[in-house]
């Protein structure tokens, strides 16, 4: 039978006498740029498909790049957008969503989100021919 005084229940004799240093002195979590870029690309996909209701099968997966240092990050996104659409408004919504989402998931401060529109993809039903 064990009691409250049993060292095995209290983390052992050494565990009971040793206190942890403050969190700031124990170390830091480092997130590689490649991981932050994957999070940003996934957030851009969420913004385009889920949040804005854009369900377009021919849009290429968003690509992201990151420059991070000291808890701050700059993000670069390259994406395809559906056409016709409000390109400036859509890009702005993607910028805001990605910046907020990456900051929330990584704890980094996002200083800049740059969007490059690589390609416009016509929506289904729009003719591909020339205007006459």
């Amino acid at each position: 039978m064990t009691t409250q005084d049993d060292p095995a229940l209290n983390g052992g004799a050494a565990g009971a006498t040793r206190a942890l240093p403050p969190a700031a002195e124990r170390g830091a979590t480092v997130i590689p740029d490649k991981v932050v870029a994957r999070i940003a690309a996934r957030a851009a996909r969420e913004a385009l498909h889920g949040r804005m209701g854009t369900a377009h099968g021919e849009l290429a997966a968003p690509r992201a790049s990151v420059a991070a240092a000291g808890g701050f990050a700059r993000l670069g996104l390259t994406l395809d957008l559906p056409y016709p659409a409000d390109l400036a408004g859509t890009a702005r919504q993607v910028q805001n969503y990605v910046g907020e989402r990456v900051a929330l998931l990584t704890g980094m401060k996002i200083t800049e989100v740059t969007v490059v529109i690589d390609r416009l993809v016509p929506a289904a039903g729009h003719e591909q021919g020339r205007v006459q």
Side-chain angles (χ1 to χ4, degrees):
M1 179 167 207
T2 60
T3 64
Q4 292 287 9
D5 296 330
D6 187 352
L9 292 177
N10 295 326
T17 60
R18 185 178 47 177
L20 290 175
E25 296 175 12
R26 285 186 281 204
T29 301
V30 178
I31 304 172
D33 289 357
K34 185 176 182 177
V35 174
V36 177
R38 289 191 68 171
I39 292 170
R42 177 63 184 242
R45 189 175 326 132
E46 289 173 7
L48 287 171
H49 294 290
R51 218 168 139 94
M52 293 177 204
T54 302
H56 200 291
E58 293 191 28
L59 293 179
R63 295 173 305 282
S65 61
V66 176
F72 293 89
R74 289 188 340 246
L75 307 175
L77 299 172
T78 303
L79 21 117
D80 293 353
L81 290 180
Y83 184 81
D86 175 13
L87 301 178
T90 302
R92 198 169 23 261
Q93 286 178 330
V94 170
Q95 279 179 313
N96 292 335
Y97 182 79
V98 170
E100 291 170 4
R101 190 79 172 134
V102 172
L104 176 71
L105 293 173
T106 64
M108 299 176 119
K109 299 205 184 307
I110 307 304
T111 59
E112 178 182 16
V113 179
T114 304
V115 173
V116 174
I117 300 170
D118 191 38
R119 187 170 69 116
L120 298 176
V121 180
H126 281 74
E127 292 184 25
Q128 300 282 337
R130 295 181 60 171
V131 177
Q132 296 184 15

